[in-house]
Amino acid sequence: VEQEHTMPNLDFGVCVSEPFTMDEALDVCAAIEEMGFDSLWITENVRSGPAELEPLITLAVFATRTRKVSLGPAVVILPLRNPVGLAHVGATLDRLSNGRFALGIGAGGESPQPFEAYGVPINERGRRCDEALEIIKRLWTEETVTYKGRYWSFDSYGLGLKPIKKPHPPIWFG
Protein backbone atom coordinates (compact mmCIF):
# COMPACT_ATOMS: atom_id res chain seq x y z
CA VAL A 1 0.00 0.00 0.00
CA GLU A 2 1.44 3.29 -1.05
CA GLN A 3 1.10 6.07 1.49
CA GLU A 4 0.72 9.65 0.49
CA HIS A 5 3.16 11.94 2.24
CA THR A 6 2.14 15.50 2.67
CA MET A 7 4.39 18.29 3.75
CA PRO A 8 3.12 20.21 6.73
CA ASN A 9 2.49 23.89 6.22
CA LEU A 10 5.58 25.66 7.41
CA ASP A 11 6.00 29.37 7.85
CA PHE A 12 9.37 31.04 7.69
CA GLY A 13 10.11 34.25 9.50
CA VAL A 14 12.98 36.60 10.15
CA CYS A 15 13.85 38.15 13.49
CA VAL A 16 15.78 41.41 13.40
CA SER A 17 17.48 43.15 16.30
CA GLU A 18 19.70 45.88 14.95
CA PRO A 19 19.36 49.58 15.62
CA PHE A 20 18.17 51.07 12.32
CA THR A 21 17.78 54.46 10.82
CA MET A 22 14.31 55.02 9.35
CA ASP A 23 15.53 54.34 5.81
CA GLU A 24 17.33 51.16 6.89
CA ALA A 25 14.26 49.91 8.76
CA LEU A 26 12.04 50.44 5.73
CA ASP A 27 14.55 48.80 3.41
CA VAL A 28 14.99 45.76 5.70
CA CYS A 29 11.29 45.05 6.12
CA ALA A 30 10.59 45.55 2.41
CA ALA A 31 13.42 43.17 1.50
CA ILE A 32 12.16 40.52 3.92
CA GLU A 33 8.70 40.66 2.41
CA GLU A 34 10.07 40.64 -1.16
CA MET A 35 12.12 37.50 -0.36
CA GLY A 36 8.86 35.71 0.48
CA PHE A 37 9.17 35.29 4.23
CA ASP A 38 5.91 34.82 6.14
CA SER A 39 6.69 36.85 9.23
CA LEU A 40 8.92 39.60 10.54
CA TRP A 41 9.82 39.82 14.21
CA ILE A 42 11.83 42.31 16.22
CA THR A 43 13.44 41.61 19.57
CA GLU A 44 12.95 43.52 22.79
CA ASN A 45 16.02 44.16 24.88
CA VAL A 46 15.39 45.68 28.29
CA ARG A 47 18.93 45.24 29.62
CA SER A 48 21.14 48.21 30.27
CA GLY A 49 23.60 48.94 27.52
CA PRO A 50 22.77 47.45 24.11
CA ALA A 51 21.20 49.85 21.65
CA GLU A 52 17.99 48.33 20.35
CA LEU A 53 14.78 49.80 19.07
CA GLU A 54 11.52 49.59 21.02
CA PRO A 55 9.78 46.75 19.19
CA LEU A 56 6.16 47.92 19.13
CA ILE A 57 6.99 51.35 17.76
CA THR A 58 9.27 49.73 15.17
CA LEU A 59 6.50 47.32 14.13
CA ALA A 60 4.25 50.31 13.43
CA VAL A 61 6.93 51.59 11.04
CA PHE A 62 7.24 48.12 9.47
CA ALA A 63 3.45 48.01 8.94
CA THR A 64 3.72 51.06 6.68
CA ARG A 65 6.11 49.33 4.29
CA THR A 66 4.73 45.78 4.18
CA ARG A 67 1.45 44.27 3.01
CA LYS A 68 1.77 40.49 3.48
CA VAL A 69 4.14 39.45 6.27
CA SER A 70 2.89 38.93 9.80
CA LEU A 71 4.50 41.32 12.28
CA GLY A 72 5.33 40.72 15.91
CA PRO A 73 7.69 41.31 18.80
CA ALA A 74 10.01 38.43 19.72
CA VAL A 75 9.23 38.85 22.59
CA VAL A 76 7.93 41.63 24.83
CA ILE A 77 8.71 41.05 28.48
CA LEU A 78 5.12 40.84 29.67
CA PRO A 79 5.63 41.43 33.43
CA LEU A 80 7.26 44.78 32.61
CA ARG A 81 4.27 46.01 30.60
CA ASN A 82 0.89 47.36 31.63
CA PRO A 83 -1.58 44.89 30.10
CA VAL A 84 -4.24 47.51 29.33
CA GLY A 85 -1.71 49.62 27.46
CA LEU A 86 -0.29 46.58 25.68
CA ALA A 87 -3.78 45.46 24.65
CA HIS A 88 -4.42 48.91 23.18
CA VAL A 89 -1.08 48.99 21.34
CA GLY A 90 -1.65 45.44 20.06
CA ALA A 91 -5.14 46.27 18.79
CA THR A 92 -3.74 49.38 17.09
CA LEU A 93 -0.92 47.42 15.43
CA ASP A 94 -3.39 44.77 14.29
CA ARG A 95 -5.57 47.49 12.73
CA LEU A 96 -2.66 49.34 11.12
CA SER A 97 -1.34 46.09 9.63
CA ASN A 98 -4.77 44.90 8.47
CA GLY A 99 -4.83 41.89 10.81
CA ARG A 100 -1.16 40.86 10.52
CA PHE A 101 -0.07 41.43 14.13
CA ALA A 102 1.03 38.56 16.40
CA LEU A 103 1.92 39.16 20.04
CA GLY A 104 5.10 37.45 21.17
CA ILE A 105 5.44 37.43 24.96
CA GLY A 106 7.89 36.13 27.53
CA ALA A 107 8.40 36.24 31.29
CA GLY A 108 11.93 37.64 31.09
CA GLY A 109 15.28 36.21 31.97
CA GLU A 110 17.00 35.58 35.27
CA SER A 111 18.78 38.94 35.46
CA PRO A 112 17.20 41.11 38.15
CA GLN A 113 18.53 44.36 36.62
CA PRO A 114 15.66 45.12 34.19
CA PHE A 115 13.05 44.13 36.77
CA GLU A 116 14.63 46.46 39.31
CA ALA A 117 14.80 49.28 36.75
CA TYR A 118 11.12 48.82 35.87
CA GLY A 119 10.08 48.52 39.53
CA VAL A 120 8.81 44.94 39.25
CA PRO A 121 9.99 42.23 41.66
CA ILE A 122 11.47 39.41 39.59
CA ASN A 123 9.79 36.77 41.77
CA GLU A 124 6.36 38.08 40.65
CA ARG A 125 6.99 37.68 36.93
CA GLY A 126 5.06 34.43 36.44
CA ARG A 127 1.94 35.56 38.30
CA ARG A 128 2.08 38.95 36.55
CA CYS A 129 2.24 37.17 33.18
CA ASP A 130 -0.83 35.10 34.02
CA GLU A 131 -2.86 38.17 35.01
CA ALA A 132 -1.64 40.29 32.11
CA LEU A 133 -2.42 37.62 29.54
CA GLU A 134 -5.96 37.20 30.87
CA ILE A 135 -6.54 40.97 30.78
CA ILE A 136 -5.21 41.37 27.23
CA LYS A 137 -7.32 38.53 25.83
CA ARG A 138 -10.44 39.78 27.58
CA LEU A 139 -9.94 43.37 26.42
CA TRP A 140 -9.49 42.14 22.84
CA THR A 141 -12.67 40.03 22.91
CA GLU A 142 -15.13 41.61 25.36
CA GLU A 143 -16.92 44.95 25.17
CA THR A 144 -16.14 45.93 28.77
CA VAL A 145 -14.03 44.21 31.38
CA THR A 146 -14.04 44.36 35.15
CA TYR A 147 -10.93 42.82 36.62
CA LYS A 148 -9.87 42.30 40.22
CA GLY A 149 -6.44 40.75 40.48
CA ARG A 150 -3.37 40.83 42.62
CA TYR A 151 -1.52 43.34 40.40
CA TRP A 152 -4.22 45.06 38.34
CA SER A 153 -7.79 46.03 39.14
CA PHE A 154 -10.29 48.11 37.19
CA ASP A 155 -14.04 48.43 36.65
CA SER A 156 -15.98 48.42 33.38
CA TYR A 157 -13.12 49.30 31.05
CA GLY A 158 -13.35 48.59 27.35
CA LEU A 159 -11.13 49.14 24.37
CA GLY A 160 -13.12 50.94 21.73
CA LEU A 161 -10.66 49.65 19.19
CA LYS A 162 -10.71 45.88 18.76
CA PRO A 163 -8.24 43.85 16.69
CA ILE A 164 -9.25 42.80 13.19
CA LYS A 165 -8.00 39.23 13.75
CA LYS A 166 -10.68 37.12 15.44
CA PRO A 167 -11.00 36.09 18.13
CA HIS A 168 -7.76 38.00 18.71
CA PRO A 169 -4.23 38.18 17.29
CA PRO A 170 -2.13 35.06 17.79
CA ILE A 171 -0.16 34.97 21.02
CA TRP A 172 3.22 33.27 20.96
CA PHE A 173 5.22 32.40 24.06
CA GLY A 174 8.98 32.60 23.97
Side-chain angles (χ1 to χ4, degrees):
V1 173
E2 201 171 307
Q3 252 184 329
E4 184 178 321
H5 294 283
T6 59
M7 185 72 151
N9 289 339
L10 297 176
D11 288 343
F12 292 92
V14 174
C15 185
V16 295
S17 63
E18 298 298 320
F20 299 109
T21 65
M22 176 65 84
D23 289 339
E24 290 170 338
L26 294 174
D27 289 346
V28 164
C29 67
I32 288 168
E33 185 166 79
E34 288 169 14
M35 286 187 270
F37 286 98
D38 299 296
S39 59
L40 172 57
W41 303 85
I42 186 160
T43 59
E44 175 170 70
N45 183 346
V46 294
R47 292 172 303 176
S48 174
E52 289 197 19
L53 299 171
E54 199 289 325
L56 301 172
I57 292 170
T58 306
L59 290 171
V61 171
F62 288 174
T64 68
R65 188 62 183 267
T66 59
R67 296 290 175 259
K68 296 179 281 187
V69 294
S70 295
L71 303 167
V75 297
V76 294
I77 309 305
L78 190 55
L80 304 182
R81 301 259 181 173
N82 178 290
V84 175
L86 185 55
H88 190 191
V89 169
T92 300
L93 283 168
D94 195 63
R95 288 279 175 163
L96 291 176
S97 68
N98 197 25
R100 296 181 291 129
F101 177 67
L103 178 60
I105 60 172
E110 295 295 324
S111 172
Q113 185 185 31
F115 290 89
E116 291 168 1
Y118 279 73
V120 174
I122 193 169
N123 65 339
E124 294 178 357
R125 65 187 177 165
R127 291 185 303 271
R128 283 179 177 269
C129 279
D130 292 343
E131 276 193 29
L133 185 57
E134 181 181 349
I135 291 166
I136 291 166
K137 288 167 75 173
R138 288 186 62 195
L139 286 170
W140 280 348
T141 58
E142 299 175 25
E143 287 306 310
T144 58
V145 176
T146 295
Y147 189 84
K148 304 285 186 229
R150 184 173 184 173
Y151 306 104
W152 294 281
S153 294
F154 51 89
D155 289 315
S156 299
Y157 186 82
L159 290 180
L161 181 76
K162 300 291 186 201
I164 291 173
K165 183 85 68 157
K166 298 299 178 207
H168 56 72
I171 299 172
W172 293 74
F173 297 87

